[in-house]
Amino acid sequence: MLLLFSIRRVQPLTRTLRVPSRRGFSALSVLSAPITSAFCVIGDEILNGKALDANSQVFAQRCFALGVELEKIEVVPDKHQAIADSVRQLSRKFDIVFTSGGIGPTHDDITYEAIGRAFGRELGYHEPTMARMRRIMASRASGHGRWTTPNPKGTPDQIACARMALLPEPASITYPCDQYWVPVVCVNQNVHIFPGIPRLFDELATAYLPGLVGRISSDAPQAFTRVLVGTQLKESTIAPVLEKLQAQYAPMGIKLGSYPNWMPPHVRVQQESGSTGEPGNEAKRNEPLVVLSAIGRDVDSLDACKRDLCSLLEGFEIINT
């Protein structure tokens, strides 16, 4: 029995237009390597266990769907030097760097200041952001009581509110979602600063990332495919074979992974032809002990790898529902 789960193809993109600072910014640059990205999570609440970071997973999923290779995720505390060191290093090494967290109105929201310092930027109140804040906050507060007006020279709460529009200068400022005043601030051509609130991050990143990828790439994308094969063999049993297959298929750009006691959502186990017994018994018997992942770009090579996984490791098929 073969069990095969296929996830839709995505497209790892290549760059032929402007290339971010790690390679020099030039309209004439032509590169064939896939777009790379990194993610910096900022916040003491992540490091002390108070909160669970969800934004890095969202970013990883969005990158995967667009064919962008996410190569690094870092978590740093609310400290100027830690933030600055992280974004400087990531900016040099990767084409796209996203940060999340630390852009609110309180004393520990220091992301704009720290990233500004990292790249020699001063901070200044961004009047279009404050105007947008006033307009959207006022419309939402209508009929629901008071709202705070951002004012750098006003009362303490107005000054705190205006602090969220104290942005590095120069920087690229965009508003991906019409319903939110929150901007995405881009510094040093490839460091993109996002809020840490998961719902906001998700909506802003979903709206922003595709356009960003489109601006830094122009080649026809190459397909990127992932398939999963299930087996009832133990990981210790399949390890030697899996190691040999990885060595065999690595030159073809295929990566293999092994995931015990895991089943992806929205799948079903294909029942064996001619099976008998109570409904559901076959599916339960065939549920994999280990799921094997194969990710590659060449479809023929990936199909050959899939066949080897199934034949050598007693693989069986999972159907995406």
Side-chain angles (χ1 to χ4, degrees):
M1 291 175 294
L2 298 180
L3 178 88
L4 179 28
F5 171 68
S6 178
I7 296 178
R8 70 180 181 87
R9 291 183 186 176
V10 296
Q11 303 175 337
L13 303 174
T14 56
R15 296 150 293 171
T16 59
L17 295 180
R18 294 185 158 226
V19 181
S21 59
R22 74 184 183 101
R23 296 179 187 259
F25 198 74
S26 170
L28 301 178
S29 298
V30 179
L31 301 174
S32 59
I35 296 175
T36 61
S37 67
F39 194 73
C40 179
V41 185
I42 300 167
D44 291 343
E45 68 276 11
I46 305 299
L47 293 170
N48 63 29
K50 176 181 177 292
L52 179 67
D53 171 57
N55 295 337
S56 59
Q57 182 183 29
V58 168
F59 183 64
Q61 292 168 341
R62 301 298 176 267
C63 285
F64 186 86
L66 291 168
V68 176
E69 293 191 359
L70 175 58
E71 296 191 354
K72 192 165 191 178
I73 297 173
E74 290 189 349
V75 183
V76 298
D78 294 311
K79 295 181 178 179
H80 287 90
Q81 196 62 51
I83 297 169
D85 289 346
S86 176
V87 297
R88 269 198 302 260
Q89 182 182 56
L90 296 176
S91 180
R92 285 195 298 265
K93 292 184 177 181
F94 303 102
D95 303 308
I96 297 171
V97 179
F98 272 31
T99 75
S100 76
I103 63 170
T106 59
H107 70 283
D108 57 346
D109 291 309
I110 60 172
T111 294
Y112 287 141
E113 182 180 0
I115 293 179
R117 286 186 191 177
F119 299 108
R121 296 336 194 240
E122 298 294 330
L123 296 185
Y125 288 103
H126 191 248
E127 183 54 43
T129 295
M130 287 198 290
R132 187 179 177 92
M133 194 186 305
R134 295 185 191 104
R135 175 175 57 83
I136 293 178
M137 284 185 171
S139 65
R140 290 183 179 177
S142 178
H144 299 284
R146 293 181 65 251
W147 60 282
T148 301
T149 303
N151 184 350
K153 298 180 180 180
T155 62
D157 60 334
Q158 291 175 328
I159 294 172
C161 186
R163 190 166 183 256
M164 294 185 287
L166 190 59
L167 309 180
E169 297 178 339
S172 173
I173 313 295
T174 58
Y175 305 95
C177 297
D178 292 339
Q179 68 270 33
Y180 299 125
W181 64 263
V182 183
V184 173
V185 179
C186 178
V187 178
N188 202 45
Q189 302 168 352
N190 68 339
V191 177
H192 309 269
I193 306 171
F194 281 76
I197 299 171
R199 177 180 55 82
L200 267 179
F201 178 86
D202 190 347
E203 294 188 43
L204 291 170
T206 299
Y208 182 81
L209 187 57
L212 173 63
V213 171
R215 289 193 298 274
I216 63 174
S217 66
S218 65
D219 281 352
Q222 185 179 10
F224 197 29
T225 302
R226 174 167 56 196
V227 297
L228 303 179
V229 173
T231 179
Q232 292 176 331
L233 300 178
K234 296 179 180 179
E235 269 199 308
S236 56
T237 302
I238 68 175
V241 177
L242 200 61
E243 184 176 2
K244 291 179 181 179
L245 287 175
Q246 178 61 88
Q248 177 183 341
Y249 285 99
M252 304 172 196
I254 292 176
K255 295 181 180 180
L256 299 179
S258 173
Y259 306 94
N261 302 313
W262 173 77
M263 274 282 282
H266 311 299
V267 299
R268 64 179 174 84
V269 177
Q270 180 172 321
Q271 294 192 19
E272 184 180 10
S273 178
S275 63
T276 61
E278 294 297 323
N281 283 353
E282 185 66 24
K284 184 178 294 186
R285 183 169 66 84
N286 287 344
E287 187 164 326
L289 185 62
V290 177
V291 174
L292 306 170
S293 167
I295 298 176
R297 297 171 184 169
D298 181 77
V299 175
D300 292 337
S301 298
L302 193 62
D303 285 343
C305 180
K306 175 192 67 181
R307 289 193 296 270
D308 283 343
L309 288 170
C310 291
S311 63
L312 297 176
L313 299 175
E314 301 179 19
F316 51 92
E317 187 174 358
I318 302 172
I319 305 297
N320 186 12
T321 58

PDB file of all heavy atoms in Angstrom, residues 149-160 162:
ATOM      1  N   THR A 149      -5.966  61.178  21.404  1.00  0.00           N
ATOM      2  CA  THR A 149      -5.420  61.840  20.225  1.00  0.00           C
ATOM      3  C   THR A 149      -3.902  61.882  20.319  1.00  0.00           C
ATOM      4  O   THR A 149      -3.363  62.357  21.322  1.00  0.00           O
ATOM      5  CB  THR A 149      -5.938  63.289  20.138  1.00  0.00           C
ATOM      6  OG1 THR A 149      -7.362  63.290  20.125  1.00  0.00           O
ATOM      7  CG2 THR A 149      -5.419  63.977  18.882  1.00  0.00           C
ATOM      8  N   PRO A 150      -3.199  61.384  19.327  1.00  0.00           N
ATOM      9  CA  PRO A 150      -1.737  61.470  19.386  1.00  0.00           C
ATOM     10  C   PRO A 150      -1.280  62.919  19.269  1.00  0.00           C
ATOM     11  O   PRO A 150      -1.676  63.645  18.350  1.00  0.00           O
ATOM     12  CB  PRO A 150      -1.292  60.646  18.161  1.00  0.00           C
ATOM     13  CG  PRO A 150      -2.456  60.667  17.237  1.00  0.00           C
ATOM     14  CD  PRO A 150      -3.679  60.711  18.108  1.00  0.00           C
ATOM     15  N   ASN A 151      -0.482  63.346  20.234  1.00  0.00           N
ATOM     16  CA  ASN A 151      -0.002  64.727  20.243  1.00  0.00           C
ATOM     17  C   ASN A 151       1.337  64.764  20.969  1.00  0.00           C
ATOM     18  O   ASN A 151       1.401  64.580  22.187  1.00  0.00           O
ATOM     19  CB  ASN A 151      -1.009  65.636  20.944  1.00  0.00           C
ATOM     20  CG  ASN A 151      -0.600  67.101  20.906  1.00  0.00           C
ATOM     21  OD1 ASN A 151       0.523  67.440  20.513  1.00  0.00           O
ATOM     22  ND2 ASN A 151      -1.489  67.985  21.324  1.00  0.00           N
ATOM     23  N   PRO A 152       2.443  64.976  20.252  1.00  0.00           N
ATOM     24  CA  PRO A 152       3.768  64.979  20.883  1.00  0.00           C
ATOM     25  C   PRO A 152       3.934  66.035  21.960  1.00  0.00           C
ATOM     26  O   PRO A 152       4.845  65.932  22.790  1.00  0.00           O
ATOM     27  CB  PRO A 152       4.710  65.242  19.699  1.00  0.00           C
ATOM     28  CG  PRO A 152       3.941  64.856  18.477  1.00  0.00           C
ATOM     29  CD  PRO A 152       2.515  65.178  18.797  1.00  0.00           C
ATOM     30  N   LYS A 153       3.078  67.063  21.963  1.00  0.00           N
ATOM     31  CA  LYS A 153       3.189  68.147  22.952  1.00  0.00           C
ATOM     32  C   LYS A 153       1.978  68.197  23.883  1.00  0.00           C
ATOM     33  O   LYS A 153       1.763  69.195  24.572  1.00  0.00           O
ATOM     34  CB  LYS A 153       3.343  69.481  22.242  1.00  0.00           C
ATOM     35  CG  LYS A 153       4.600  69.576  21.393  1.00  0.00           C
ATOM     36  CD  LYS A 153       4.716  70.924  20.689  1.00  0.00           C
ATOM     37  CE  LYS A 153       5.979  71.003  19.846  1.00  0.00           C
ATOM     38  NZ  LYS A 153       6.097  72.310  19.148  1.00  0.00           N
ATOM     39  N   GLY A 154       1.208  67.142  23.921  1.00  0.00           N
ATOM     40  CA  GLY A 154      -0.015  67.131  24.697  1.00  0.00           C
ATOM     41  C   GLY A 154       0.151  66.545  26.079  1.00  0.00           C
ATOM     42  O   GLY A 154       1.216  66.622  26.695  1.00  0.00           O
ATOM     43  N   THR A 155      -0.911  65.928  26.571  1.00  0.00           N
ATOM     44  CA  THR A 155      -0.908  65.286  27.878  1.00  0.00           C
ATOM     45  C   THR A 155      -0.055  64.017  27.830  1.00  0.00           C
ATOM     46  O   THR A 155       0.282  63.531  26.740  1.00  0.00           O
ATOM     47  CB  THR A 155      -2.343  64.936  28.283  1.00  0.00           C
ATOM     48  OG1 THR A 155      -2.873  64.009  27.320  1.00  0.00           O
ATOM     49  CG2 THR A 155      -3.225  66.182  28.326  1.00  0.00           C
ATOM     50  N   PRO A 156       0.292  63.462  29.002  1.00  0.00           N
ATOM     51  CA  PRO A 156       1.136  62.264  28.988  1.00  0.00           C
ATOM     52  C   PRO A 156       0.567  61.111  28.147  1.00  0.00           C
ATOM     53  O   PRO A 156       1.323  60.415  27.453  1.00  0.00           O
ATOM     54  CB  PRO A 156       1.209  61.884  30.464  1.00  0.00           C
ATOM     55  CG  PRO A 156       1.105  63.188  31.181  1.00  0.00           C
ATOM     56  CD  PRO A 156       0.122  64.002  30.367  1.00  0.00           C
ATOM     57  N   ASP A 157      -0.748  60.895  28.199  1.00  0.00           N
ATOM     58  CA  ASP A 157      -1.293  59.800  27.402  1.00  0.00           C
ATOM     59  C   ASP A 157      -1.274  60.126  25.907  1.00  0.00           C
ATOM     60  O   ASP A 157      -1.104  59.238  25.060  1.00  0.00           O
ATOM     61  CB  ASP A 157      -2.709  59.432  27.855  1.00  0.00           C
ATOM     62  CG  ASP A 157      -3.691  60.576  27.739  1.00  0.00           C
ATOM     63  OD1 ASP A 157      -3.248  61.739  27.796  1.00  0.00           O
ATOM     64  OD2 ASP A 157      -4.895  60.309  27.589  1.00  0.00           O
ATOM     65  N   GLN A 158      -1.425  61.423  25.555  1.00  0.00           N
ATOM     66  CA  GLN A 158      -1.333  61.806  24.151  1.00  0.00           C
ATOM     67  C   GLN A 158       0.100  61.673  23.627  1.00  0.00           C
ATOM     68  O   GLN A 158       0.321  61.261  22.485  1.00  0.00           O
ATOM     69  CB  GLN A 158      -1.826  63.243  23.973  1.00  0.00           C
ATOM     70  CG  GLN A 158      -3.318  63.400  24.187  1.00  0.00           C
ATOM     71  CD  GLN A 158      -3.746  64.859  24.131  1.00  0.00           C
ATOM     72  OE1 GLN A 158      -2.991  65.763  24.503  1.00  0.00           O
ATOM     73  NE2 GLN A 158      -4.977  65.096  23.664  1.00  0.00           N
ATOM     74  N   ILE A 159       1.054  61.985  24.457  1.00  0.00           N
ATOM     75  CA  ILE A 159       2.464  61.826  24.079  1.00  0.00           C
ATOM     76  C   ILE A 159       2.791  60.345  23.890  1.00  0.00           C
ATOM     77  O   ILE A 159       3.484  59.959  22.937  1.00  0.00           O
ATOM     78  CB  ILE A 159       3.385  62.452  25.145  1.00  0.00           C
ATOM     79  CG1 ILE A 159       3.181  63.967  25.191  1.00  0.00           C
ATOM     80  CG2 ILE A 159       4.842  62.115  24.872  1.00  0.00           C
ATOM     81  CD1 ILE A 159       3.904  64.658  26.331  1.00  0.00           C
ATOM     82  N   ALA A 160       2.277  59.497  24.798  1.00  0.00           N
ATOM     83  CA  ALA A 160       2.514  58.058  24.675  1.00  0.00           C
ATOM     84  C   ALA A 160       1.904  57.512  23.391  1.00  0.00           C
ATOM     85  O   ALA A 160       2.503  56.678  22.704  1.00  0.00           O
ATOM     86  CB  ALA A 160       1.932  57.338  25.887  1.00  0.00           C
ATOM     87  N   ALA A 162       1.372  59.247  20.619  1.00  0.00           N
ATOM     88  CA  ALA A 162       2.172  59.755  19.500  1.00  0.00           C
ATOM     89  C   ALA A 162       3.482  58.995  19.347  1.00  0.00           C
ATOM     90  O   ALA A 162       4.061  58.951  18.249  1.00  0.00           O
ATOM     91  CB  ALA A 162       2.447  61.242  19.696  1.00  0.00           C
TER      92      ALA A 162
END
